[in-house]
Amino acid sequence: PLVRAAVQLPPHRFGAPIRILAGDSIIHSMLWQQIRLFRLHLAVCAAAGAWALPTFLGARPGLWPPVIAFALILALYQFNRLSDGVEDRLNAPQDYVSSIEGRRLIQVVAIAGLILAWGLATFGGLIAMAIVAAVSVGVFFGQSFGARPRLKDRWYLKNILPAGAWALVMLGLGLAFAGATPTPAAAFVFFYVTGAVWIVDMLNDLRDMLGDRARGSVTVPLWLGPRATI
């Protein structure tokens, strides 16, 4: 019906809706581009998980764990953007250019996210603060220290550390704020989430093999090959 109605419209009336639809499409595309570049979708996923996983286990995480998860994951991925210039130049040239041009804004978002996460973690007590502290070490995950390979350049750390951090943020914060005691069910959820994130992260390395090879990173796909990785 939509096609028939469009065909029946005179040319001078048909042009305006098309231009409007095209303009909306461009705006939506630009908006998604910014969301993707700043990894806002990942931060939203972390916030949703920080509410859903503890709730699934019968705990009541409250408001702050999702907010902390959002701020912390957002901050860490900004630091990752700043440290992955060599890889992104080959794997995602547009992302690389955007990171160079928006470096100051990325730094502000990263630092603000860490400050917010650390500040709110104090309301959850020592356990919540310890979780934020442990995950905040991820700031150094992609940093170079002299001639030694970065932590993320080692295949046995590249995927498992971020996966464990995601699980700790999404599950541990909610349990800490709720004052819940860890149970076998919580341990199962933790390892399940860790495994799921580990697999997704490793599959992403298949996409990034070109840049990782140029950087000197040893990822599972570069070590075992694509077929064995899958």
Side-chain angles (χ1 to χ4, degrees), residues 141 149-162 198 201-202 205 216-224:
F141 186 59
R150 303 176 303 169
L151 290 176
K152 70 181 302 183
D153 292 333
R154 307 167 191 265
W155 67 268
Y156 51 89
L157 298 177
K158 169 70 166 60
N159 307 116
I160 193 63
L161 289 183
W198 180 72
D201 198 40
M202 188 165 49
D205 287 340
S217 298
V218 182
T219 62
V220 172
L222 290 174
W223 182 50
L224 294 179

Side-chain angles (χ1 to χ4, degrees), residues 28-30 32-33 68 73 92 106 124 130 133 142 146 153 158 160-161 164-165 178 199 203 209 212-213 218 225 229:
H28 292 159
S29 177
M30 293 174 61
W32 168 245
Q33 181 75 355
I68 296 171
I73 293 298
I106 294 172
D153 292 333
K158 169 70 166 60
I160 193 63
L161 289 183
I199 291 172
L203 292 177
M209 289 177 65
D212 289 337
R213 183 181 288 110
V218 182
T229 300

Side-chain angles (χ1 to χ4, degrees), residues 115-132:
I115 292 174
L116 179 61
W118 273 90
L120 294 178
T122 59
F123 295 118
L126 292 177
I127 296 178
M129 293 175 64
I131 291 172
V132 171

Side-chain angles (χ1 to χ4, degrees), residues 97-187:
V97 172
S98 176
S99 297
I100 295 298
E101 294 177 347
R103 187 176 185 84
R104 182 60 59 85
L105 177 59
I106 294 172
Q107 291 172 336
V108 170
V109 172
I111 295 172
L114 281 183
I115 292 174
L116 179 61
W118 273 90
L120 294 178
T122 59
F123 295 118
L126 292 177
I127 296 178
M129 293 175 64
I131 291 172
V132 171
V135 176
S136 295
V137 175
V139 169
F140 306 105
F141 186 59
Q143 302 301 317
S144 299
F145 297 99
R148 293 184 177 182
R150 303 176 303 169
L151 290 176
K152 70 181 302 183
D153 292 333
R154 307 167 191 265
W155 67 268
Y156 51 89
L157 298 177
K158 169 70 166 60
N159 307 116
I160 193 63
L161 289 183
W166 269 85
L168 193 59
V169 166
M170 291 194 294
L171 181 61
L173 284 173
L175 295 180
F177 271 80
T181 302
T183 62

Side-chain angles (χ1 to χ4, degrees), residues 37-39 77-78 80-85 88 92-107:
L37 286 173
F38 277 92
R39 311 302 191 258
Y77 274 92
Q78 304 317 304
N80 188 67
R81 291 178 67 190
L82 295 173
S83 64
D84 281 359
D88 289 345
Q94 288 185 325
D95 293 5
Y96 170 74
V97 172
S98 176
S99 297
I100 295 298
E101 294 177 347
R103 187 176 185 84
R104 182 60 59 85
L105 177 59
I106 294 172
Q107 291 172 336

